[in-house]
Amino acid sequence: MTAAALETRGLVAGYEPDLPIVRGVDLTVAPGELLVLLGPNGAGKSTLVKAIAGVVPVHAGSVHLGGRDITRVAAHRKIGEGLAFVPQTENIFARMTIHENLQLAAAILPKALRAEKIDAMYRRFADLGAKPSRLAGALSGGQRQMLAVARALIVDPPVLILDEPSAGLSPKIVGEVFAMLKEINAGGVTVILVEQNVKAALSIASRAVILVEGRIRHEGAAAALLGDPLVAKLYLGTGHTQTAEQP
Ligand SMILES: Nc1ncnc2c1ncn2[C@@H]1O[C@H](COP(=O)(O)OP(=O)(O)OP(=O)(O)O)[C@@H](O)[C@H]1O
Ligand SMILES: [Mg+2]
């Protein structure tokens, strides 16, 4: 049997030792999947992905990447293990240029590879390549997300986790960001996407997991969930909005 790209076993995590937010999550993500992680505000979605990324303490259980136990690997070393995490905020250095941001991300690569990998990102993200000397803080919301994703992808990680990359973006730009994620996934990267933008996320995902109060409440094919207004209404608080958004 092929190892899961990412797996959590009985994961319990939270900010305070006696206050678990993630309360026993068994999550298995197969290689090549695009999984969307949904759930109401405060469900623990960010806490779960941060615990996987090593920036929130794990109280119990384990995290496995390609079959290797990475639970205790320090957050900054997880990228070297093959796990890239794009947090919701502070995912770029606003006071540095695009190029400096990419150079920092490339620093864990062998020196001889760095320039080539940065160039590959400039080819892939034309907006970034157009003016590498621009300050990251001067970029539009969509371009910032592109830079955050480019930073994450520079080392060719097998697994990419993103926490609400669409937050604060206009619907058109959300469409562009999601199309980019779909393309990255089609290129072989396993993607785990935390989203509030339920409809758009379900339409690019293969599978969905709904987290409620720190536990998995529902999981299944994304397409099935897209057509299930009851699930959307019960667990995501979006039943009405979803209906209203229908063309
Ligand atoms: N830094 C923190 N310190 C202490 N508690 C926190 C911290 N961040 C979040 N929490 C608490 O953890 C719980 C889960 O929050 P979390 O951010 O994981 O939810 P979420 O599902 O990502 O919600 P949202 O959809 O709003 O992003 C909430 O009760 C929240 O108040
Ligand atoms: Mg969150």
Side-chain angles (χ1 to χ4, degrees):
M1 203 182 83
T2 329
L6 183 84
E7 189 176 0
T8 69
R9 295 185 198 148
L11 196 69
V12 178
Y15 306 88
E16 310 290 336
D18 48 354
L19 199 70
I21 303 287
V22 172
R23 300 158 187 251
V25 167
D26 296 301
L27 180 71
T28 304
V29 189
E33 265 197 303
L34 199 170
L35 180 94
V36 60
L37 182 60
L38 306 169
N41 291 115
K45 304 180 295 294
S46 294
T47 308
L48 172 58
V49 291
K50 286 192 226 166
I52 292 170
V55 293
V56 161
V58 169
H59 302 170
S62 56
V63 179
H64 306 259
L65 190 80
R68 296 183 313 281
D69 187 332
I70 59 156
T71 319
R72 305 289 159 201
V73 173
H76 69 281
R77 293 200 187 277
K78 285 199 175 161
I79 184 71
E81 295 284 328
L83 177 71
F85 175 51
V86 179
Q88 184 174 350
T89 56
E90 289 164 46
N91 52 25
I92 55 163
F93 296 100
R95 299 171 77 164
M96 292 185 181
T97 65
I98 291 173
H99 196 67
E100 287 163 346
N101 267 274
L102 293 177
Q103 278 179 318
L104 272 183
I108 68 162
L109 292 169
K111 223 170 185 166
L113 274 180
R114 294 176 196 167
E116 176 192 325
K117 291 288 183 184
I118 292 174
D119 277 348
M121 289 302 142
Y122 287 149
R123 284 195 298 276
R124 183 166 201 165
F125 304 101
D127 278 10
L128 303 181
K131 207 174 172 206
S133 61
R134 272 187 88 183
L135 274 185
L139 298 174
S140 70
Q143 289 168 334
R144 280 176 178 234
Q145 285 302 349
M146 303 268 172
L147 179 57
V149 170
R151 282 175 49 85
L153 288 181
I154 212 154
V155 302
D156 291 321
V159 177
L160 172 66
I161 303 182
L162 307 105
D163 194 356
E164 292 198 42
S166 74
L169 302 182
S170 71
K172 178 173 172 277
I173 307 299
V174 171
E176 286 175 16
V177 169
F178 279 21
M180 162 189 80
L181 294 179
K182 179 121 184 130
E183 205 180 294
I184 288 165
N185 175 246
V189 180
T190 303
V191 177
I192 297 153
L193 175 63
V194 175
E195 263 304 327
Q196 294 277 358
N197 217 316
V198 177
K199 215 168 112 183
L202 285 175
S203 65
I204 61 161
S206 43
R207 202 158 60 87
V209 165
I210 299 180
L211 200 70
V212 178
E213 291 176 7
R215 293 189 177 90
I216 293 180
R217 184 66 65 82
H218 180 97
E219 57 183 307
L225 213 64
L226 196 55
D228 192 339
L230 185 67
V231 170
K233 195 173 163 188
L234 279 180
Y235 300 130
L236 308 172
T238 53
H240 295 296
T241 331
Q242 291 285 297
T243 313
E245 273 175 9
Q246 300 284 341

